[in-house]
Amino acid sequence: MTQTTPAPQVWPTLRARDARALIRFLVDAFGFEETAVFADGDVVHHAQLSWPLGGGIMLGSVRETAEDLWPVQPGSFGAYVVADDIDALFARAKAAGAEVVKEPYDTDHGSHDFIVRDPEGNRWSFGTYRGEPRKGA
């Protein structure tokens, strides 16, 4: 098997008060894959969680210093994630303790979605809408 570096992508990033706990939650509740974690004890300097359908997120422990180059506050993150079996994923997220903001529903643009919050307060919207084709594609 040959390993290759993924093509360039957008990687949303967030910070967490308890990054290790958030990583476990995102893996257990939503199905992210823990790809890399660079840490010293409980302080996560960088973590990459891959989404099975492509892309993923990066996260780390909050740093409350004047030198912080990425002062994103825990709980201020939000993302829309494309998924296939929304009802099964919703049941998994709810069973894992995700706070339900909106149960599965159908949108006017043909998507089947739900919205939850993780233990840090971040909002996650999962849905079947994969976007429109790129212009000129």
Side-chain angles (χ1 to χ4, degrees):
M1 183 168 112
T2 304
Q3 261 190 340
T4 60
T5 302
Q9 303 172 44
V10 175
W11 288 86
T13 61
L14 62 146
R15 292 282 178 89
R17 289 175 198 85
D18 187 343
R20 288 200 179 273
L22 183 58
I23 291 166
R24 283 278 48 90
F25 178 83
L26 297 173
V27 168
D28 295 344
F30 302 152
F32 278 95
E33 299 165 353
E34 185 178 312
T35 304
V37 177
F38 301 95
D40 290 317
D42 289 336
V43 177
V44 174
H45 301 291
H46 169 80
Q48 176 185 330
L49 303 183
S50 299
W51 185 242
L53 298 180
I57 61 168
M58 295 183 187
L59 67 99
S61 297
V62 68
R63 294 158 179 83
E64 296 180 9
T65 66
E67 298 81 31
D68 187 5
L69 299 175
W70 202 259
V72 177
Q73 292 301 307
S76 64
F77 178 79
Y80 177 81
V81 182
V82 176
D84 290 327
D85 191 343
I86 295 301
D87 295 320
L89 182 55
F90 175 75
R92 175 181 180 165
K94 188 173 175 182
E99 176 190 336
V100 176
V101 174
K102 187 163 179 73
E103 296 203 6
Y105 64 100
D106 294 321
T107 70
D108 58 0
H109 55 276
S111 188
H112 188 57
D113 296 5
F114 72 87
I115 305 169
V116 294
R117 286 184 195 242
D118 66 32
E120 295 268 343
N122 300 299
R123 289 182 183 257
W124 296 88
S125 176
F126 292 88
T128 56
Y129 181 70
R130 293 176 181 260
E132 298 301 316
R134 290 176 180 249
K135 295 188 182 341

